[in-house]
Every structure is written in C-alpha cells, then in structure tokens.
C-alpha cells in the first residue's frame, strides 16, 4: 500500500532516470491535461511530499513557464522505469502517464491523481499538507501543534490526516498505535505523550524508506510476519495472544459539539484490546 516511504522510493527511482534529462515524449492520459506536451523540457527535480509526487520541468528551449507534474498513487498507483523500447510489466490500458527520454521511459500506472500546474503554484496542490516525515524540512514542533488543534478527535483519525503530518497511511497508523499501546479511539488530548507518537512515526518511516518490503517488527521479516496488527483481524496478538479486533471510525466518534476538522478516513483499524486498552 503506497504510503510516505513508498513515495520516497518512487521519487528516488524517477530521479535517477529523469533528473537532468530532456523529455523526448510525454503522454498524459488524464482528460484535463491530455493535450499537454512536455517534450523538449528538462526534468529539474523529482520531489516526494508526503504521499504526493512532484516532477518539475523547466521552460524548455522556448523559455516557457516551468511546470510541475503532480501525481498521487492512492491505493493501486505505481511508477515504473524501463529502458527505452522495453516491454512494460503492466498492461498499457493501466498507464496514466508516460515520460520518455533518450534512454528511458517512466510510466505511471493506475495513478489516482495527475495534475499539471505552474511550478510557482505547487502550493495549490500540496500547500495544505503538514510537515513531511521524510522531508528535509521536517518540523516536529509544527506537527505536534497541528495534532493538538482538535483535542477531542480520535488519535487514529488525527494520525491519518495529512494536514497534521504527511506520510502516514493506514499501515503505519495501526502499527504506531499498537507500539505505543494506544487504543485507536483515544482522544488526542488523552494521549499522555503525543511527542513519543510523533517521534515513533518519524523513526518508522525512516527505517523503512529504503526497504523493498516494509516491516514494523524491528527489522526485515518474512512475508506475513512483518506487522504487529495490520491486516490481522481475529488472529492472535503477537505480544499477548488475545484476538486482534477490527473496527472503523465514523463521525459518531467525535465528541458532541466538536467542530469537524475534515473528512475522516473510513478505513479499517486493527488493534489488540488487551495491549491497547480503551481510555
């Protein structure tokens, strides 16, 4: 599942293939930008921002406005890089973007979002995001401040809100709460050491950013054994043996009169009621 560490690796892959190279062909298969042509422009940077990916190009030989191609992987998206002319490993109908240089092709399959904006206007797409856990400008104090703005919000919802800190998806959300022994519905204000939650988030994403297979159990693990609770509903807790419970968060979890801070992620939660007692 693409989360901040996946996007970080995707950016590194694209950077190696595209940075400093002139695009000889582009094919953008989203209706709003299908007629755009980036050929002749040089790729100046490939930047991950939370779960978002930014590919910047210059103005080309005609000195046009520098542009940014913004993509989001959502659930199924993935960028591949191939030698020019090589056969793709996924069917062509899944391709949403093709960027070609003299020696390589970068193909974005099943991308959930694809936008093209002036580089100067990038903030219109990603300016709402909180501090990036894998970014060079990571700001722990700002992340804590944003989390604390809605003290009655369930911590499971607050961690998934990319406006608080960018890069955490459902896998990390579940694993972080288990490792900190926090029940998902604990209000943010009731978390005894919110700083420790943020610090663990930062450590886990950094530990996995260069791994081909994500693991939260203390190092590389065999497939099926790399997580504590994620995806393990009704299986025994690896720590205490109690059955792992599955639940979801909805608006009813907000306290009466609480101003809604934004859409909650209606995604599954997995937790151990014995290791993560209810507040």
């Amino acid at each position: 599942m693409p989360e901040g560490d996946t996007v970080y690796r995707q950016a590194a892959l694209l950077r190696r293939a595209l940075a400093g190279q002139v695009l000889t062909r582009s094919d953008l298969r989203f209706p709003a930008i299908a007629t755009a042509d980036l050929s002749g422009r040089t790729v100046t940077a490939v930047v991950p921002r939370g779960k978002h990916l930014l590919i910047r190009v210059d103005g080309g030989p005609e000195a046009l406005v520098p542009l940014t191609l913004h993509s989001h992987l959502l659930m199924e998206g993935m960028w591949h890089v191939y030698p020019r002319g090589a056969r793709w490993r996924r069917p062509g109908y899944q391709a949403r973007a093709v960027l070609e240089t003299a020696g390589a092709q970068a193909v974005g399959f099943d991308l959930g979002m694809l936008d093209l904006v002036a580089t100067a206007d990038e903030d219109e797409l990603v300016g709402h995001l909180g501090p990036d856990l894998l970014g060079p400008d990571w700001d722990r104090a700002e992340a804590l401040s944003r989390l604390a703005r809605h003290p009655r919000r369930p911590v499971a919802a607050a961690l998934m809100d990319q406006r608080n800190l960018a890069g955490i998806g459902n896998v990390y959300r579940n694993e972080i709460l288990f490792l900190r022994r926090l029940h998902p519905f604990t209000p943010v204000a009731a978390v005894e050491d919110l700083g420790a939650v943020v610090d663990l988030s930062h450590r886990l994403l950094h530990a996995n950013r260069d791994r081909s297979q994500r693991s939260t159990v203390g190092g590389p693990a065999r497939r099926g054994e790399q997580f504590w609770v994620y995806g393990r509903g009704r299986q025994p807790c690896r720590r205490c043996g109690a059955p792992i419970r599955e639940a979801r968060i909805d608006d009813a979890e907000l306290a009466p009169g609480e101003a809604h801070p934004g859409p909650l992620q209606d995604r599954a939660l997995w937790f151990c009621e014995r290791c993560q007692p209810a507040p």
Side-chain angles (χ1 to χ4, degrees):
M1 182 178 297
E3 301 193 18
D5 55 342
T6 303
V7 176
Y8 181 93
R9 290 191 296 275
Q10 290 270 275
L13 173 72
L14 292 173
R15 194 179 300 117
R16 290 192 294 269
L18 300 178
Q21 301 297 309
V22 176
L23 297 177
T24 58
R25 172 176 169 258
S26 72
D27 182 3
L28 306 179
R29 303 177 184 180
F30 263 57
I33 58 174
T35 60
D37 183 9
L38 302 181
S39 59
R41 295 175 182 254
T42 298
V43 177
T44 58
V46 182
V47 180
R49 186 78 176 85
K51 299 182 184 181
H52 301 253
L53 189 58
L54 307 172
I55 302 174
R56 298 170 182 155
V57 297
D58 68 6
E62 298 180 11
L64 301 172
V65 173
L67 298 175
T68 295
L69 184 66
H70 161 262
S71 62
H72 194 298
L73 305 181
L74 291 185
M75 294 293 289
E76 304 293 338
M78 190 64 62
W79 281 91
H80 290 188
V81 171
Y82 303 96
R84 189 170 180 179
R87 183 176 180 178
W88 296 352
R89 296 192 302 274
R90 291 176 67 169
Y93 70 83
Q94 294 180 357
R96 298 292 178 264
V98 181
L99 302 176
E100 191 168 302
T101 70
Q105 270 193 344
V107 186
F109 293 100
D110 284 338
L111 302 176
M113 298 179 188
L114 194 66
D115 305 286
L116 190 63
V117 299
T119 299
D121 296 331
E122 277 181 8
D123 274 359
E124 294 180 5
L125 298 173
V126 296
H128 66 288
L129 297 174
D132 187 344
L133 285 155
L134 292 176
D137 56 347
W138 164 246
D139 188 334
R140 179 181 186 270
E142 177 63 17
L144 283 169
S145 174
R146 291 184 178 221
L147 284 167
R149 289 175 185 173
H150 298 280
R152 297 183 182 180
R153 196 178 195 193
V155 65
L159 282 179
M160 280 280 282
D161 191 332
Q162 301 300 296
R163 294 168 298 182
N164 292 331
L165 59 171
I168 292 179
N170 204 31
V171 176
Y172 281 115
R173 183 253 300 267
N174 284 279
E175 296 294 289
I176 289 163
L177 294 177
F178 176 82
L179 289 167
R180 290 300 306 164
R181 295 181 177 268
L182 284 168
H183 193 283
F185 299 136
T186 304
V188 169
V191 176
E192 291 185 3
D193 192 346
L194 197 58
V197 175
V198 169
D199 292 341
L200 176 60
S201 304
H202 190 249
R203 288 199 306 273
L204 275 183
L205 265 75
H206 271 265
N208 282 286
R209 67 180 186 178
D210 297 317
R211 290 177 181 163
S212 58
Q213 181 173 293
R214 183 185 297 143
S215 172
T216 62
V217 297
R222 290 182 295 181
R223 186 172 295 278
E225 299 180 0
Q226 66 267 40
F227 302 128
W228 292 98
V229 292
Y230 176 78
R232 300 189 64 244
R234 295 190 296 276
Q235 297 182 46
C237 174
R238 300 189 191 281
R239 180 183 284 157
C240 74
I244 300 298
R245 182 186 166 191
E246 182 174 344
R248 290 181 183 271
I249 291 182
D250 59 30
D251 289 353
E253 298 302 331
L254 292 173
E258 175 93 9
H260 201 295
L264 293 173
Q265 298 287 340
D266 184 23
R267 303 277 293 283
L269 294 166
W270 291 276
F271 59 98
C272 173
E273 289 186 297
R274 185 179 297 169
C275 296
Q276 300 166 260

